[in-house]
Amino acid sequence: EDGKMKYAYSNGFILDGSENMEPVSGKVILTNGDKIERIISDEELIGLAGYEKINLGGRYIMPGLVNMHLHLPATGKPKKKESDPVKLVKLITSNGLFRKIGIKICASAAETELLSGVTTIRTMGGVENFDSLIRGRIDSGTLKGPRILASNKAVSVEGGHMAHSLAYVAASAEEARNYVKQIAKDKPDWIKLMITGGVLDAKVKGEPGELKMPADYVKAACDEAHALGFKVAAHVESPEGVKCALENGVDSIEHGAKPDAEIIELFKEKGAFLVATISPALPFAEFDRETTHITEVAQYNGKIVFEGILECAKACLANGIPVGLGTDTGCPYITHYDMWRELNYFHKYCGVSNAFALYTATKRNAQLAGVGDITGSIEAGKSADFIVTKENPLENLAALRNIDMVVFRGEITDKPGVKKMPEVEAQLDKYI
């Protein structure tokens, strides 16, 4: 039976996903079906029967990456002018045929993540229940894609981030609670709230991430989610928003903002964590406006958000507060195949080592996503989720740019290729 294929991966350098990982040679990873069975020495491989032997030829093998924050409906392809997400979502959900096309677009985005070396994704706002639908099809083997931790459609407020497109619009605390109940029916893995505005929502200089969702809505949504056994993630891009989120029960702050002592205390007291998304803020802040076609106000606010995310991540790291990484794919210039860039920015702008960046994107992210017992490191009993690269990412994270092999739940994809956007690559490569 194909499902119980047994493989022995030998002659590679193992990076196990732990915080201080170093390349280990002379070991063989044995997989049985979708699990890592055990790790043995080279000597024990001699005379081992029943395993198909895969000689890695001196390449590097490590856990598949975990992308903590992305949106499947979008590609990241830059546009000359802002499109209207409300109209697009209305169209996609208007009839059965368009719905099928929409699901296909999202499923193809999920597959691109997998083929670029990301074996687990956490979707943070999607169209209706498309994400959990696709999750089910991947789990049952009818679709090829990564492990999906879905939040489906988020909860926002009138005039709030993603209102009427990737988020329901609550007009009271009671409605916020009811939307959580409604979302819960599709068995998501997380609940997502949109507490503040985003970079492009701001109308004046200096107020990106304006607080939009009242505290009592946040509390009602969190209380309901927690009662139903779900954790809550929130889009937050201002200090005021971070405080409101943490005080009212949010488990993970997505993006972040310049923190003060009170925010750091709240993170610690509540046991919350941060998911830094450096990728989407960089083009707004750093690119030439000729390239991004954004207003001066948007660029000014983009800089505030970019610096806020970096300062929040650095302060959390300095204070022992866990930091995860996500690409926020869907924002302009942020693709489904560029998770490696997020690791690189973390190293470059937050000063962490390459090993710490890789650990964050594997074992740490898996723990924070709630699947640390299943994936994220190369250990017996974990899911057989690996990526193989020619070069050593501990020396240069760009080694992750071209993946030689992806293994997900034991299934091997050799030489996975993804279609890239040359104009995006050209712009982003200036910031490696």
Side-chain angles (χ1 to χ4, degrees):
E1 181 204 52
D2 188 27
K4 279 293 176 201
M5 284 299 286
K6 296 164 90 168
Y7 294 105
Y9 297 84
S10 67
N11 194 17
F13 291 98
I14 300 173
L15 303 175
D16 66 5
S18 59
E19 193 173 335
N20 300 307
M21 68 183 113
E22 286 182 7
V24 170
S25 59
K27 299 274 187 210
V28 180
I29 303 166
L30 300 184
T31 66
N32 186 350
D34 61 357
K35 295 269 190 295
I36 300 171
E37 195 171 48
R38 55 197 172 109
I39 291 145
I40 61 172
S41 67
D42 276 350
E43 295 82 61
E44 293 171 87
L45 184 62
I46 303 157
L48 185 76
Y51 291 81
E52 187 177 325
K53 295 185 173 64
I54 293 172
N55 183 340
L56 293 169
R59 291 176 297 176
Y60 293 79
I61 186 165
M62 66 212 79
L65 304 178
V66 178
N67 188 344
M68 287 293 275
H69 189 120
L70 57 90
H71 305 275
L72 289 176
T75 62
K77 193 177 170 60
K79 302 179 190 74
K80 288 274 192 292
K81 65 179 186 37
E82 271 292 279
S83 56
D84 182 347
V86 179
K87 274 193 183 135
L88 281 169
V89 172
K90 215 176 204 151
L91 180 68
I92 286 173
T93 54
S94 61
N95 64 50
L97 175 67
F98 285 173
R99 218 184 223 97
K100 271 203 176 90
I101 293 168
I103 291 168
K104 207 174 173 152
I105 289 168
C106 293
S108 144
E111 185 177 8
T112 298
E113 290 278 343
L114 178 66
L115 297 177
S116 76
V118 176
T119 51
T120 299
I121 62 175
R122 182 167 167 264
T123 69
M124 285 279 110
V127 176
E128 289 182 348
N129 63 344
F130 288 10
D131 297 354
S132 60
L133 265 176
I134 293 164
R135 176 192 68 190
R137 291 176 192 178
I138 291 169
D139 289 348
S140 69
T142 54
L143 272 182
K144 186 179 170 101
R147 176 181 294 97
I148 296 182
L149 302 164
S151 67
N152 288 336
K153 198 166 171 175
V155 182
S156 189
V157 293
E158 199 57 69
H161 196 52
M162 296 291 180
H164 301 289
S165 61
L166 303 186
Y168 293 107
V169 173
S172 67
E174 197 46 38
E175 271 190 19
R177 184 186 287 279
N178 287 333
Y179 279 128
V180 170
K181 282 185 185 153
Q182 191 179 326
I183 296 161
K185 287 185 181 142
D186 287 303
K187 298 193 171 45
D189 302 279
W190 281 77
I191 297 290
K192 172 82 186 288
L193 306 180
M194 304 291 189
I195 292 181
T196 73
V199 177
L200 295 177
D201 302 333
K203 300 290 177 270
V204 299
K205 272 188 177 184
E207 62 152 43
E210 190 189 0
L211 184 62
K212 303 277 188 187
M213 187 178 279
D216 60 325
Y217 293 25
V218 178
K219 186 173 181 346
C222 288
D223 286 352
E224 189 59 42
H226 293 153
L228 294 168
F230 299 105
K231 284 195 148 88
V232 179
H235 164 101
V236 194
E237 291 187 348
S238 65
E240 190 192 0
V242 177
K243 280 179 193 165
C244 175
L246 293 174
E247 280 167 352
N248 292 289
V250 166
D251 301 286
S252 77
I253 297 292
E254 309 292 311
H255 318 304
K258 189 180 166 73
D260 56 17
E262 189 191 345
I263 285 175
I264 295 300
E265 265 323 295
L266 277 168
F267 263 112
K268 287 184 179 168
E269 185 195 317
K270 305 288 185 182
F273 63 88
L274 173 73
V275 174
T277 55
I278 305 167
S279 297
L282 183 127
F284 286 120
E286 303 285 302
F287 281 18
D288 200 306
R289 293 209 339 266
E290 245 88 278
T291 307
T292 52
H293 306 286
I294 58 173
T295 63
E296 194 210 336
V297 170
Q299 184 174 50
Y300 181 90
N301 288 330
K303 281 195 159 69
I304 294 176
V305 168
F306 184 51
E307 279 152 23
I309 288 171
L310 296 178
E311 284 183 42
C312 202
K314 284 193 256 196
C316 283
L317 289 171
N319 285 279
I321 295 155
V323 177
L325 293 177
T327 55
D328 200 6
T329 295
C331 290
Y333 291 93
I334 313 309
T335 71
H336 282 293
Y337 53 77
D338 263 348
M339 178 66 186
W340 73 271
R341 291 188 194 271
E342 183 66 25
L343 279 72
N344 197 55
Y345 299 146
F346 194 42
H347 163 69
K348 181 176 172 177
Y349 295 107
C350 296
V352 304
S353 69
N354 287 349
F356 191 85
L358 190 59
Y359 151 72
T360 301
T362 53
K363 191 174 185 173
R364 177 60 115 183
N365 270 357
Q367 288 165 343
L368 298 177
V371 290
D373 53 337
I374 298 169
T375 191
S377 59
I378 296 184
E379 297 175 68
K382 294 266 181 104
S383 182
D385 303 342
F386 316 126
I387 52 179
V388 175
T389 61
K390 274 194 186 66
E391 310 294 328
N392 180 2
L394 301 189
E395 282 171 13
N396 181 0
L397 289 164
L400 298 167
R401 182 180 200 146
N402 298 304
I403 304 287
D404 262 14
M405 181 191 285
V406 176
V407 182
F408 174 54
R409 291 177 177 158
E411 196 169 309
I412 297 171
T413 305
D414 204 24
K415 306 273 180 288
V418 293
K419 196 164 175 273
K420 300 192 175 181
M421 302 179 223
E423 75 279 16
V424 169
E425 301 278 289
Q427 290 300 334
L428 293 177
D429 282 354
K430 299 170 187 170
Y431 299 91
I432 290 176

